[in-house]
Amino acid sequence: MKLSKRVVAALLFSIILVVSGCGSNGGDSSSSSDKLNVQVSFYPMYEFTKNVAGDLANVEALIPAGIEPHDWEPTPRDLATIEGADVLVYNGAGLEGWIDQVTSAVNNDKLVQIEASQGIAIMEGSEEEKEAHDHEGEEAHDHEHGGLDPHVWLSPALAIQEVRNIESGLSKAAPEHTDEFKKNADAYIVKLEQLDQDFKSGLSNTKRKDFITQHASFGYLAKEYNLVQVAIAGLSPEQEPSAANMAKVVKFAKENDVQTIFFETLVSSKVAETIAKEIGAESAVLNPIEGLSDEDKANNLDYIGIMRQNLEALKKVLNQ
């Protein structure tokens, strides 16, 4: 149902473009600025792109801070924004379920599209997630991932690959700045490599390897650092866990003396807190960095800063 609404919105916007003539420039922004006009889908793509682009582009996120990206739907205004851009950066792997429809609706054949996860081996979700997706049928939301896990940015090693893809795309859009983009990407990747090394050293000798999360966001991180993610629910934050899976997680937690259940920012922590209460454990944040909260912004946190908080949270829990 949501898909049909979006199609209608896209068609209405196309009519508006024809009537107003606002699409006649084909996305050429050179008259207003020599900088690239870069639109990105959500926060991690903003952080990565801004670090690569430096002062050579105006980078803006389509999804506002504090909005869960799985819930976001583009409006006609967003279509107009994308149409006027030089570059569109998105994560891919099914996170932005609207991407194909939006890019086919805009009238800008010069738009450079960068799928940051291109070339990365995408993981499938849990059996529970795939089963839920199969049973949803036409009632499924557009933003469901089709059983694929899009959360690649939560592995610093894969974040490096995303940054390289963004560097390549920006160089395609502005080849005269290829050297600058590479220099900026190299400098940022040094920081990501240090982050990766800190995760490796910090998590290599913990007392336990398993952790329980409310939302199955941390599969890539777990795989990279030889951990085991036990998810209460599936890939989509709004997916309700089945009674059977809730019981399975409670049983696992009791048998393995789990003392902390992780929840995340931007979505309700009710499920995690319910299980924590059931087993006499505490709850704590493990942040999937799908957007910055007001508290994150107040503390001047960025991707690397939040990932370091995640590392400390994992070290504490895995050494209990």
Side-chain angles (χ1 to χ4, degrees):
M1 289 185 289
K2 288 190 176 183
L3 180 59
S4 61
K5 289 180 181 178
R6 288 191 187 143
V7 170
V8 170
L11 290 174
L12 287 174
F13 181 66
S14 297
I15 294 171
I16 292 170
L17 289 179
V18 172
V19 173
S20 66
C22 66
S24 60
N25 288 333
D28 184 3
S29 59
S30 60
S31 60
S32 58
S33 173
D34 290 334
K35 295 184 177 182
L36 286 174
N37 175 355
V38 181
Q39 297 295 318
V40 305
S41 56
F42 73 128
Y43 173 71
M45 299 302 101
Y46 173 85
E47 178 76 9
F48 299 163
T49 304
K50 187 66 179 172
N51 275 279
V52 176
D55 295 330
L56 299 172
N58 295 315
V59 182
E60 297 179 348
L62 291 162
I63 302 175
I67 300 297
E68 223 293 327
H70 300 77
D71 297 332
W72 185 80
E73 296 183 6
T75 65
R77 183 185 294 268
D78 296 313
L79 290 174
T81 298
I82 294 169
E83 175 152 306
D86 301 303
V87 179
L88 173 63
V89 182
Y90 60 100
N91 181 75
L95 180 72
E96 300 92 347
W98 44 266
I99 193 71
D100 289 340
Q101 181 185 309
V102 165
T103 55
S104 65
V106 298
N107 180 28
N108 180 0
D109 57 9
K110 294 182 180 180
L111 179 68
V112 174
Q113 300 178 44
I114 303 174
E115 182 178 8
S117 64
Q118 185 175 10
I120 292 174
I122 302 302
M123 296 169 54
E124 292 190 352
S126 66
E127 290 303 315
E128 290 83 2
E129 174 74 16
K130 289 184 283 184
E131 183 177 338
H133 177 80
D134 291 342
H135 289 161
E136 280 171 350
E138 294 183 358
E139 296 298 317
H141 296 310
D142 285 350
H143 54 249
E144 296 291 352
H145 319 111
L148 298 179
D149 186 348
H151 302 89
V152 295
W153 64 91
L154 290 170
S155 161
L158 297 183
I160 290 171
Q161 293 186 49
E162 293 206 295
V163 168
R164 286 300 186 201
N165 284 337
I166 291 168
E167 176 203 340
S168 177
L170 291 179
S171 296
K172 178 180 177 181
E176 68 276 16
H177 295 304
T178 296
D179 291 343
E180 293 99 317
F181 293 142
K182 185 179 187 307
K183 180 179 178 181
N184 292 341
D186 288 347
Y188 187 56
I189 285 172
V190 168
K191 298 178 182 179
L192 294 177
E193 288 174 338
Q194 182 60 58
L195 180 66
D196 177 44
Q197 184 57 48
D198 291 343
F199 265 82
K200 287 177 179 175
S201 59
L203 300 176
S204 61
N205 295 309
T206 54
K207 294 179 180 179
R208 62 188 307 146
K209 295 298 181 181
D210 52 77
F211 61 98
I212 297 179
T213 63
Q214 177 170 312
H215 165 204
S217 300
F218 297 91
Y220 293 97
L221 184 149
K223 181 179 180 181
E224 187 69 34
Y225 304 110
N226 299 312
L227 304 178
V228 178
Q229 172 186 238
V230 178
I232 300 169
L235 296 169
S236 298
E238 68 276 10
Q239 180 186 334
E240 292 292 332
S242 67
N245 204 53
M246 287 274 283
K248 186 191 300 183
V249 172
V250 169
K251 183 174 185 289
F252 176 89
K254 289 180 177 179
E255 290 179 348
N256 292 276
D257 192 27
V258 174
Q259 299 178 39
T260 302
I261 307 295
F262 284 122
F263 68 94
E264 63 190 61
T265 56
L266 303 185
V267 297
S268 171
S269 61
K270 181 179 178 180
V271 172
E273 290 174 348
T274 296
I275 289 184
K277 184 177 181 180
E278 171 76 14
I279 64 174
E282 63 181 12
S283 57
V285 170
L286 195 63
N287 194 335
I289 325 182
E290 294 181 344
L292 293 181
S293 67
D294 291 338
E295 183 178 356
D296 294 333
K297 291 186 287 184
N299 291 324
N300 294 317
L301 287 171
D302 56 12
Y303 170 85
I304 290 178
I306 296 173
M307 285 297 290
R308 291 197 177 282
Q309 288 186 338
N310 284 343
L311 174 58
E312 292 307 310
L314 283 167
K315 286 165 62 177
K316 178 181 178 181
V317 167
L318 297 176
N319 284 301
Q320 287 177 330

